[in-house]
DNA sequence: CGGAATATTGAGGGTCATCAAATGTCGTGG
DNA sequence: CCACGACATTTGATGACCCTCAATATTCCG
C-alpha cells in the first residue's frame, strides 16, 4: 500500500564545504549552492552555473518539530528540499488557520519580511530537509543579479496570487468543490516534483484538511467518503487513488443529497438482488448531474 | 447626513512639470514626485526630500471605471491618492471574489508581477485619483536605494500578511465576527487617513460587503441590522455610526437568536408600556453574553 | 417622473457544525 | 510479543445557521 511520496527524496546535493566538515556536530548537515537552490525554486539559474561562492545550509526536522514560530525574529527564508510541512496562522482569538502545505521546491517564511518577525508558524508533518536562506544575503545577491531580483519579486507575487486563490475558494466555493480542488492541487504538485499524481498518501490529518478548507474534520471526512462512494477516488485512511481527475477539476457541487440517497438505495437494492455493479464506477447519469451548474 | 469620507481629498500634490502642461488634454493630470509617493505609502522618504528627478503621473477615474482588468499586460503598480476601489479576482468558474477595498495610501497591482499579467481587476467605487508607478522604474530606483528596496519587499510582505488574515477570517470566524472585523478595519483605515473612525459612509454595496466576507448580501444586511438592533452601531443605508468599537473588536458570536428574539420582545413590551429605553444602548447583560466564548 | 439599482425583511429548506459512538492505527512500555 | 492508551477516522442524529426565493421600500439617476 505504500506509495512513492512517503519515500525519502533522491535529490542529490553538493558535497559539504570544508566548514561543514569542521563543524563535526551530530546534526546531519549538507550544503547547497546557488545553482541547486535556483533549480529547486524553478528559477532560471544560468548565471549561477558553476557558482561556488554562495552556500546554503540544510537542516533536518522530524515530524512535529517547528521550523519557526509566530513572533520569532525573522532573518531566514526557507526552501523545502524534501518532506511535508504546514504553515499556520494564529489570530487574536487563538484560532488556528492552516495557510499552506509546503513541500519540495516551495519557499516559506516570506511573511516575516514586513515586520521582521514571522507572523505564522511552520511545522513539519514528516521528516523534512530544509535549506536555510538568509534573506539579507539573498537580497544582496539580487541587487547585483537582475534575474534573481526579478525571481524574488516573482516568488512573492506568486505566493500573493496563491493566497488570493485561496480566498476565492473559501469565499465562493461549495465544500465539495473545495475538497475536489484540494485533491487536484495535491495531485498536480506531486506530479510536478516527480511523484505519482494518481496514487499518493496524504501527509496531513482530516483535521488539518478541514482546517485548511474552512470546515470541520467530520465534513472533510464525509466529503472524501462521498467522492469514494461516487467512484471519483478511492480513499482508505491516508492513501488516495484518483480515478477521475477531470471530474474533480470541474466539480462544483454534488447532486443534492436526496439524489445521492436514492442512488445509494438503488445500489443497495441491486446488491440485495445479488447483482454486483462494477466496483467504484459512477453511473454516467450521476456524472452528468455533477458536471451541471 | 453627509460625512467627511465622501468629500474630495485635500492632499496637495506638486505642480505639474512642463510635460504635463504640454499635453494640454482635457483629462485632468497632475504629477507627484518620489517624496510625495513615499509619504502616501508611509515609507521613510528622507533620501528623496527635494528629489525632482522622478515624476509619477496621476489619472482620474469615475465610479464604475476599471483601472486594470484580469489578463491585461502588467507594467504599472498603482497608488491611491483619493477615492475608493475594489480589487476583484474571477476564478475559472466565473465566480467573482472581492479581495480588497483599496483607499488612500494603498498600493495595488502587485499580483501582476509574477506572470506579467494582472490576475485580478480593479474597479473604482467612487471618483478616484490614482498615481501610476511603472514597476521597472520603481525596481530600478530600489536597486540603488536600499530603503526603497526594503520598503518594496515590505509592502509585498505586508499585503501577503493581510491576505493571510483574510484567509483566517474566512476559514475560522463566524459571520458576525467577520462583519464586526470588517467595520473595525474600515474604522481604523478611515482614522489613519484622517477621516472619522466613528462616522462614515460605506463606499460599497451590501452585495460587495457580502461577497468580500463570503456571505450573501442578505446575510450582510441582516448582520448589520442585528448590530444596529443591539446598539453597537447605527446604520442607515450607507451611513454608519459606531457606538461600541470595543464590542466589535472582541465580538465572536452573537447571543443565540432565541435570546435576541426575547430581547426584542422585551423591548417591544417596554415600548408598548410607553417606556422609552435609552436609544441604541444594549443592556449590560447582553454585552456580557456577546463577549463570552 | 419613472425605471433600475439598492436595501430591508420574512419564510422555508438545505448544509454543515456539533455531539456522540464505534472502529482502526500506531507508538510505547510492560 | 502483546496490551494499552492516545490519536485518527468514520458514521449517525440533531439542530442552528445561512442561502434561496420573494415582497416591499428606498434611493439614485436619466
Amino acid at each position: 500500500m505504500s506509495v512513492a511520496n512517503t519515500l525519502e527524496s533522491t535529490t542529490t546535493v553538493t558535497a559539504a564545504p570544508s566548514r561543514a566538515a569542521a563543524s563535526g556536530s551530530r546534526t546531519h548537515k549538507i550544503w547547497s549552492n546557488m545553482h541547486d537552490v535556483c533549480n529547486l525554486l524553478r528559477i532560471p539559474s544560468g548565471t549561477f552555473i558553476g557558482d561556488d561562492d554562495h552556500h546554503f545550509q540544510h537542516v533536518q526536522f522530524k515530524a512535529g518539530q517547528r521550523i519557526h514560530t509566530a513572533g520569532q525574529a525573522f532573518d531566514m527564508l526557507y526552501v523545502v528540499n524534501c518532506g511535508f510541512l504546514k504553515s499556520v496562522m494564529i489570530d487574536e482569538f487563538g484560532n488556528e488557520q492552516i495557510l499552506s502545505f509546503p513541500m519540495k521546491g516551495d519557499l516559506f517564511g516570506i511573511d516575516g519580511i514586513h515586520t521582521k518577525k514571522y507572523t505564522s508558524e511552520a511545522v513539519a508533518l514528516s521528516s523534512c530537509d530544509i535549506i536555510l536562506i538568509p534573506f539579507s544575503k539573498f537580497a544582496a545577491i539580487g541587487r547585483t543579479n537582475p534575474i534573481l531580483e526579478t525571481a524574488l519579486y516573482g516568488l512573492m507575487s506568486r505566493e500573493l496570487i496563491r493566497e488570493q486563490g485561496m480566498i476565492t475558494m473559501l469565499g465562493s466555493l461549495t465544500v465539495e468543490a473545495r475538497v475536489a480542488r484540494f485533491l487536484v492541487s495535491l495531485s498536480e504538485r506531486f506530479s510536478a516534483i516527480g511523484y505519482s499524481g494518481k496514487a499518493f498518501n496524504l501527509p496531513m490529518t482530516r483535521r488539518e484538511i478541514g482546517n485548511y478548507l474552512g470546515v470541520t474534520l467530520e465534513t472533510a471526512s464525509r466529503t472524501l467518503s462521498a467522492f469514494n462512494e461516487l467512484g471519483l477516488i478511492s480513499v482508505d485512511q491516508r492513501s488516495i487513488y484518483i480515478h477521475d481527475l477531470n471530474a474533480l477539476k470541474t466539480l462544483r457541487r454534488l447532486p443534492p443529497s436526496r439524489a445521492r440517497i436514492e442512488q445509494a438505495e438503488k445500489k443497495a437494492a441491486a446488491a440485495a438482488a445479488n447483482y454486483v455493479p462494477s466496483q467504484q464506477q459512477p453511473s454516467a447519469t450521476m456524472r452528468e448531474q455533477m458536471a451541471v451548474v
Side-chain angles (χ1 to χ4, degrees), chain A:
Chain A
M1 250 321 180
S2 98
V3 292
N5 71 326
T6 59
L7 304 177
E8 290 301 308
S9 165
T10 58
T11 302
T12 59
V13 293
T14 58
S18 55
R19 274 179 297 170
S23 79
S25 100
R26 53 159 178 66
T27 52
H28 179 215
K29 289 180 186 173
I30 331 178
W31 299 77
S32 281
N33 62 24
M34 202 64 195
H35 184 63
D36 297 327
V37 171
C38 286
N39 276 350
L40 210 46
L41 290 170
R42 303 179 200 83
I43 294 174
S45 64
T47 57
F48 292 112
I49 290 177
D51 176 330
D52 271 339
D53 296 343
H54 310 291
H55 289 91
F56 300 99
Q57 185 181 349
H58 289 229
V59 180
Q60 275 71 38
F61 294 89
K62 282 179 293 191
Q65 291 185 319
R66 278 182 179 71
I67 287 70
H68 63 74
T69 67
Q72 177 185 330
F74 163 84
D75 60 337
M76 297 278 182
L77 298 178
Y78 303 89
V79 177
V80 183
N81 185 43
C82 76
F84 301 95
L85 306 94
K86 63 175 175 181
S87 161
V88 185
M89 171 170 251
I90 301 164
D91 77 6
E92 71 272 24
F93 298 137
N95 296 316
E96 297 191 1
Q97 173 67 42
I98 297 177
L99 300 167
S100 63
F101 293 110
M103 60 179 74
K104 182 179 176 183
D106 291 334
L107 177 75
F108 65 94
I110 311 179
D111 57 71
I113 295 175
H114 178 233
T115 57
K116 298 294 170 202
K117 292 183 189 306
Y118 298 102
T119 57
S120 60
E121 66 176 39
V123 183
L125 297 178
S126 67
S127 294
C128 289
D129 183 55
I130 307 293
I131 306 175
L132 307 184
I133 314 277
F135 176 65
S136 56
K137 184 174 172 182
F138 221 54
I141 301 172
R143 223 164 286 132
T144 63
N145 185 312
I147 293 178
L148 182 64
E149 185 197 48
T150 301
L152 194 44
Y153 284 126
L155 284 171
M156 294 182 69
S157 173
R158 186 213 287 174
E159 183 61 15
L160 212 61
I161 294 168
R162 193 194 67 77
E163 290 189 357
Q164 290 178 358
M166 187 130 175
I167 292 170
T168 304
M169 178 179 84
L170 291 172
S172 59
L173 292 194
T174 63
V175 172
E176 305 95 42
R178 289 182 219 173
V179 176
R181 173 176 293 201
F182 171 70
L183 292 173
V184 171
S185 166
L186 273 189
S187 169
E188 290 173 347
R189 294 170 73 199
F190 281 139
S191 293
I193 61 178
Y195 296 136
S196 166
K198 294 187 79 85
F200 50 83
N201 283 313
L202 296 171
M204 69 293 285
T205 68
R206 296 290 187 272
R207 179 181 299 279
E208 286 161 339
I209 294 172
N211 180 299
Y212 177 74
L213 298 175
V215 298
T216 60
L217 75 165
E218 293 95 332
T219 298
S221 176
R222 271 187 254 265
T223 307
L224 287 174
S225 295
F227 288 173
N228 185 77
E229 205 63 31
L230 291 168
L232 302 182
I233 64 173
S234 291
V235 54
D236 178 61
Q237 303 284 112
R238 299 290 183 99
S239 86
I240 297 281
Y241 187 90
I242 297 186
H243 294 291
D244 193 341
L245 188 63
N246 214 50
L248 292 176
K249 279 182 183 166
T250 58
L251 185 147
R252 292 225 206 182
R253 54 190 339 127
L254 254 26
S257 49
R258 191 178 345 102
R260 282 217 304 284
I261 291 167
E262 285 167 12
Q263 184 76 4
E265 283 167 353
K266 259 196 290 183
K267 258 194 189 173
N274 213 7
Y275 165 70
V276 180
S278 62
Q279 204 63 16
Q280 307 284 9
Q281 294 304 323
S283 70
T285 60
M286 187 58 93
R287 290 208 192 179
E288 280 159 23
Q289 285 181 50
M290 290 185 310
V292 174
V293 171

